DNA sequence: AATAAAACATGACAATTGTCATGTTTTGAG
DNA sequence: CTCAAAACATGACAATTGTCATGTTTTATT
């Protein structure tokens, strides 16, 4: 299990690269991204410390990475050679069970995301995103919940499948309605209940 | 491991039901569905013989089912009490590894689906669906590939996050362009290469 | 074979979201 | 602190998709 550090502009691995390592996020956040042929990008998930990645099937079949893993700022990642990882899992039922649980949670999450993308309007999808940001990386503050991950409007757009302009416009509306305040450097959720209402309306 | 049969109009379990069993599809197909508060439905996946479900995290935390499992026609399902299933996995590293591989594949699939929903137009999403139907349940025929699962336009609409009308219109276009023929009872993919092209255009 | 229900179909129109263009503000590197 | 790059912002317009209404065809059941 070796520790590796990555910084801005680097990649942990890219879509299509051969799968060699199992990874755990130690410090910082990591973006999982897929892109289409015409350059459009979609952010599938932001991994936080403790999150596993490439703990799964792509690692098995000698296949290649189905997406790109990109550090958001400076990150530190623990990794282990594929073979050693599998050996470890076989020898250690507790670890294997933990990975099964983790993958199951990730699968549920991914399917919930698919549902939101399939059924909700852009503003609802953004509201859902803000809610989960508040829950997963929120820091309580006097006048709301600060999101500790730095996300530009473009990042948010890529996370909910809309254009940057649409994300900007909707966030501007949210700001006007006092549901949120600030931008990437300091995004604060000010009215979580109202956002929840909007997400399910 | 007991076998259970289900028929039209029944449910294997519904969203919110407590998780009690681990399941395997033995015969027939099973729809995994989520619905929103206002009645809109989204089909996450069609399970085929050999597919596992509830092999995952929801089964752990004593949580409830995140979605509904609905038989498509007559199906036969093998199931095992949660506790026995976990005991079996712990005692059997091969089985545990197999579940890890399976969940990983499902996760990749779900994320690919999310990407398509986030980035592609309705016609591209439908083309992608038809491609994967051809690959996963296609039966070669003199003039194309027959889809062995019976799917109405409404089913397809629910699978790609569009309205029934939109699915009907796009399928009509596909039919006119000789990419497909027939309806639910006998859907045939006639020009897979062209569909692939369309899906990634 | 009759018949009700479901599936398929199509038009007119509305709502949502994307595209492109342009300008302002904020951020970060030197 | 300066300055370029990135992020944020907004308008005008186009494209996509949804909504509602209505009608035909197919399917399944008695």
């Amino acid at each position: 299990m070796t520790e590796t550090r990555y910084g801005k502009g680097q990649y942990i691995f890219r879509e299509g690269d051969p799968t060699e390592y199992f990874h755990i996020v130690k410090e910082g956040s990591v973006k999982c991204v897929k892109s289409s042929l015409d350059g459009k990008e979609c952010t599938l998930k932001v991994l936080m410390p403790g999150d596993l990645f490439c703990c799964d099937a792509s690692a098995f079949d000698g296949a290649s990475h189905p997406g790109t893993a990109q550090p958001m700022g400076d990150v530190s990642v623990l990794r282990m050679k594929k073979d050693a990882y599998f050996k470890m899992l076989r020898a250690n039922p507790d670890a294997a069970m933990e990975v099964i649980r983790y993958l199951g949670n990730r699968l549920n999450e991914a399917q919930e995301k698919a549902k939101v993308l399939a059924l909700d309007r852009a503003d609802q999808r953004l509201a859902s995103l803000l809610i989960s940001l508040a829950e997963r990386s929120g820091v309580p503050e006097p006048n709301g919940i600060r999101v500790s991950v730095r996300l530009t409007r473009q990042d948010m757009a890529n996370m909910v499948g809309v254009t940057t302009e649409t994300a900007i416009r909707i966030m501007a509306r949210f700001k006007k309605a006092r549901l949120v305040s600030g931008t990437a450097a300091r995004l604060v959720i000010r009215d979580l209940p109202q956002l929840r209402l909007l997400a399910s309306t």
Side-chain angles (χ1 to χ4, degrees), chain A residues 78-143:
Chain A
L78 298 174
R79 61 184 201 183
M80 186 187 266
K81 280 260 186 202
K82 196 164 114 170
D83 295 349
Y85 169 62
F86 293 149
K87 219 166 274 174
M88 185 273 284
L89 281 185
R90 283 191 167 276
N92 198 331
D94 284 341
M97 292 307 271
E98 198 47 50
V99 169
I100 290 174
R101 149 185 262 135
Y102 178 76
L103 279 172
N105 280 325
R106 287 285 301 272
L107 178 58
N108 284 336
E109 204 179 75
Q111 292 190 326
E112 180 63 27
K113 178 172 181 135
K115 175 198 156 189
V116 168
L117 284 168
L119 299 180
D120 294 350
R121 284 191 318 271
D123 57 343
Q124 297 175 303
R125 301 209 295 270
L126 255 170
S128 293
L129 171 62
L130 293 169
I131 292 163
S132 75
L133 287 172
E135 287 170 348
R136 291 188 45 237
S137 86
V139 181
E141 277 207 353
N143 41 17

Side-chain angles (χ1 to χ4, degrees), chain A residues 22-200:
Chain A
F22 153 74
H23 304 253
I24 304 179
V25 179
K26 189 181 172 196
E27 230 182 286
S29 329
V30 173
K31 254 199 297 193
C32 300
V33 178
K34 268 177 187 268
S35 28
S36 64
L37 298 173
D38 52 323
K40 284 185 291 189
E41 278 199 353
C42 149
T43 299
L44 296 168
K45 169 137 179 98
V46 171
L47 300 166
M48 314 274 282
D51 272 315
L52 317 179
F53 54 121
C54 308
C55 46
D56 62 76
S58 64
F60 279 76
D61 316 325
S64 58
H65 289 293
T68 295
Q70 200 176 348
M72 304 176 73
D74 291 332
V75 306
S76 157
V77 167
L78 298 174
R79 61 184 201 183
M80 186 187 266
K81 280 260 186 202
K82 196 164 114 170
D83 295 349
Y85 169 62
F86 293 149
K87 219 166 274 174
M88 185 273 284
L89 281 185
R90 283 191 167 276
N92 198 331
D94 284 341
M97 292 307 271
E98 198 47 50
V99 169
I100 290 174
R101 149 185 262 135
Y102 178 76
L103 279 172
N105 280 325
R106 287 285 301 272
L107 178 58
N108 284 336
E109 204 179 75
Q111 292 190 326
E112 180 63 27
K113 178 172 181 135
K115 175 198 156 189
V116 168
L117 284 168
L119 299 180
D120 294 350
R121 284 191 318 271
D123 57 343
Q124 297 175 303
R125 301 209 295 270
L126 255 170
S128 293
L129 171 62
L130 293 169
I131 292 163
S132 75
L133 287 172
E135 287 170 348
R136 291 188 45 237
S137 86
V139 181
E141 277 207 353
N143 41 17
I145 301 165
R146 204 184 89 246
V147 175
S148 65
V149 190
R150 188 194 171 89
L151 291 174
T152 66
R153 305 297 196 235
Q154 170 153 230
D155 290 326
M156 294 188 229
N158 287 342
M159 294 175 85
V160 300
V162 296
T163 59
T164 306
E165 292 91 333
T166 295
I168 288 175
R169 276 184 249 259
I170 293 174
M171 288 298 287
R173 264 175 26 216
F174 285 180
K175 196 177 242 174
K176 198 166 290 176
R178 306 208 166 280
L179 305 178
V180 301
S181 67
T183 56
R186 184 179 175 69
L187 176 62
V188 178
I189 313 292
R190 290 182 169 272
D191 194 342
L192 196 52
Q194 201 60 36
L195 280 171
R196 283 191 208 283
L197 203 69
L198 176 61
S200 57

